[in-house]
Amino acid sequence: MGQASGQATSGTAMWNPFANMASLAGNAISIVGGKGSVVLDADGREYVDALASLWYCNVGYGRAELADAAAAQMRKIAGFQVFEYFSNPPAEALCRRIAELVPVPGAKVFLTPGGGSDAVDTAGKLARAYWRAVGEPGRQVIISRTHAYHGMNAYGTSLGGIPLLTEAFAPLVGQVEQVPWDDPGALEKTIEAIGDSRVAAFFCEPVIGAGGVYPPPAGYLSAVREICRGHDVLFVADEVITGFGRVGEWFASGRFGLEPDLITTAKGLSSGYLPIGAVIASQRVAEPFWRAGSSEVFRHGYTYSGHPAAAAVALANLDLIEREQLVQRVAGLEPVLAAALSPLSGHQLVSEVRSGTGLLAAVEIAEGARAADPAIGQRLVLAIRERGVITRLLRGVALQVSPPFVITEQEISRIVEAFAGGLDAVS
Ligand SMILES: Cc1ncc(COP(=O)(O)O)c(C=O)c1O
């Protein structure tokens, strides 16, 4: 069989997410090991991982007890479905544990099998199903924010506020609206223009993550929470990044007093040792489905919902976070990270350093520098990696900092030195 001209000849068959395979094929960095906040590539190079992989490896790499938890469960039974009337001990225990941790009284927990995208699609469908179940089927519109990232499944793609990631695919899910990320008044006006009787839910990352790490402007979250209450719109906190400790409390919903109707989680639930997520429903949302005598069924689920091995790993991960007091550790490191990054804001290529919500920060590249050299962001990522630190570019504008909770102050200094060195090198 002949090869079409121009076809990749690198020998790799792996098609990477978000990658230009024409240039990447054969050049990917193969990660083969890790310990704490450091990962190792196939050529023997070590890097401080300023990303915790993709915001998830909160307990750090190389935690044998999480591997042991998976192995022990797999020896009993690795997987079994939980559709309709099956259950298993790790899934039951995990749901109970999450319900106890979350600042939502009487919470019910719907486990999802993959990352946050599954949780977001589940929450979007549950919000609409809730309104049908309580006799208001007209409430179907879901509102999200500019800069929002809610994953890459259908709901997440449709609700996304990063045009480059949505435009090629829209429309997927209908009846979605978008409001500016920082303007409560715009949310209220939009709800009023659509009409209360048509709006199902507002999706909100308490701290915007992939859109560039934007902590909430002062008063923003309490204002939008109140607006949703006033118009009886469900408030959905997307805590896929912020859940399970990243902002120095178990949930950003607790830190910011959000009392959400639904919370989406994934990533930090298992620190990524196995994929698993959870949608947390308040009493109000669960009630029509759980009330004695109700015939309502949430007709939704995934083959691997409630996967016993993944649930066992998540439980062991939560144990570890509690035992090592890692949430308190994040709270303690919040000002350390902010103070360490702060001098970078004086660099000519930097317009802003955003920090101050746990171990979440971003270094924004000045607009002028990006206009003068559209490749500057990627050149920076490379220059920083050459200095032994892994970061990445968010929305084409800012460098991500979201290290594992076990990061040391010395490693934070290494991150900042590599950023400073990289900025000087590309200047
Ligand atoms: C806030 C938020 N929601 C949803 C998602 C989607 O999660 P996943 O990529 O694990 O499907 C992400 C991923 O980064 C996220 O940051």
Side-chain angles (χ1 to χ4, degrees), residues 29-391:
I29 300 162
S30 185
I31 298 296
V32 297
K35 186 102 192 135
S37 299
V38 173
V39 293
L40 178 72
D41 75 13
D43 297 325
R45 284 209 62 182
E46 286 189 348
Y47 308 86
V48 176
D49 179 13
L51 306 177
S53 187
L54 282 177
W55 330 81
Y56 67 69
C57 193
N58 294 349
V59 298
Y61 301 97
R63 296 291 202 159
E65 69 186 90
L66 301 194
D68 292 344
Q73 180 57 41
M74 283 181 176
R75 285 197 184 92
K76 291 181 203 154
I77 183 159
F80 199 83
Q81 54 122 338
V82 296
F83 274 30
E84 299 183 79
Y85 39 72
F86 288 108
S87 179
N88 62 73
E92 290 280 351
L94 182 61
C95 291
R96 243 190 337 269
R97 184 76 167 274
I98 294 171
E100 283 163 13
L101 283 175
V102 77
V104 175
K108 304 296 183 197
V109 179
F110 192 100
L111 294 175
T112 52
S117 302
D118 289 347
V120 164
D121 273 37
T122 298
K125 289 171 77 175
L126 182 52
R128 288 176 168 180
Y130 166 80
W131 286 113
R132 289 211 164 87
V134 297
E136 290 197 56
R139 282 196 183 257
Q140 295 295 299
V141 176
I142 302 178
I143 302 175
S144 65
R145 299 153 78 199
T146 56
H147 293 352
Y149 187 84
H150 296 296
M152 291 287 103
N153 286 353
Y155 275 80
T157 302
S158 301
L159 293 171
I162 304 174
L164 201 59
L165 307 188
T166 60
E167 279 169 0
F169 309 105
L172 287 167
V173 174
Q175 304 203 65
V176 299
E177 295 286 336
Q178 197 139 86
V179 294
W181 73 277
D182 55 352
D183 182 359
L187 173 65
E188 182 135 52
K189 276 202 199 102
T190 301
I191 295 173
E192 285 168 357
I194 299 165
D196 289 13
S197 63
R198 290 190 53 224
V199 182
F202 175 55
F203 273 61
C204 178
E205 290 165 90
V207 180
I208 284 179
V213 182
Y214 291 89
Y220 174 83
L221 288 173
S222 52
V224 290
R225 183 65 192 99
E226 215 35 57
I227 289 164
C228 288
R229 237 182 235 117
H231 294 273
D232 210 14
V233 167
L234 297 181
F235 188 93
V236 184
D238 185 345
E239 295 226 36
V240 166
I241 289 175
T242 54
F244 304 104
R246 184 155 286 283
V247 297
E249 288 198 24
W250 276 100
F251 291 89
S253 292
R255 176 164 176 168
F256 297 109
L258 296 179
E259 297 176 7
D261 298 298
L262 288 164
I263 302 178
T264 51
T265 70
K267 300 186 188 280
L269 173 55
S270 63
S271 292
Y273 274 73
L274 282 179
I276 186 166
V279 174
I280 299 153
S282 62
Q283 252 167 345
R284 174 202 179 158
V285 171
E287 199 268 348
F289 302 92
W290 285 63
R291 186 182 54 229
S294 168
S295 58
E296 288 295 341
V297 173
F298 182 36
R299 289 192 173 78
H300 173 80
Y302 303 90
T303 294
Y304 300 128
S305 292
H307 191 273
V313 168
L315 274 168
N317 175 63
L318 298 178
D319 284 345
L320 202 161
I321 293 173
E322 275 185 350
R323 195 180 65 242
E324 296 187 1
Q325 303 194 338
L326 293 181
V327 181
Q328 295 87 325
R329 183 181 170 80
V330 172
L333 285 174
E334 174 181 306
V336 175
L337 180 67
L341 288 171
S342 162
L344 295 179
S345 64
H347 197 280
Q348 54 171 353
L349 293 183
V350 175
S351 56
E352 188 178 31
V353 174
R354 290 186 285 274
S355 61
T357 44
L359 285 178
L360 275 178
V363 176
E364 179 142 335
I365 305 162
E367 202 176 340
R370 285 185 277 118
D373 175 8
I376 195 164
Q378 290 307 345
R379 290 203 295 122
L380 262 170
V381 168
L382 182 62
I384 292 167
R385 196 166 69 227
E386 283 168 357
R387 287 162 177 77
V389 169
I390 294 177
T391 182

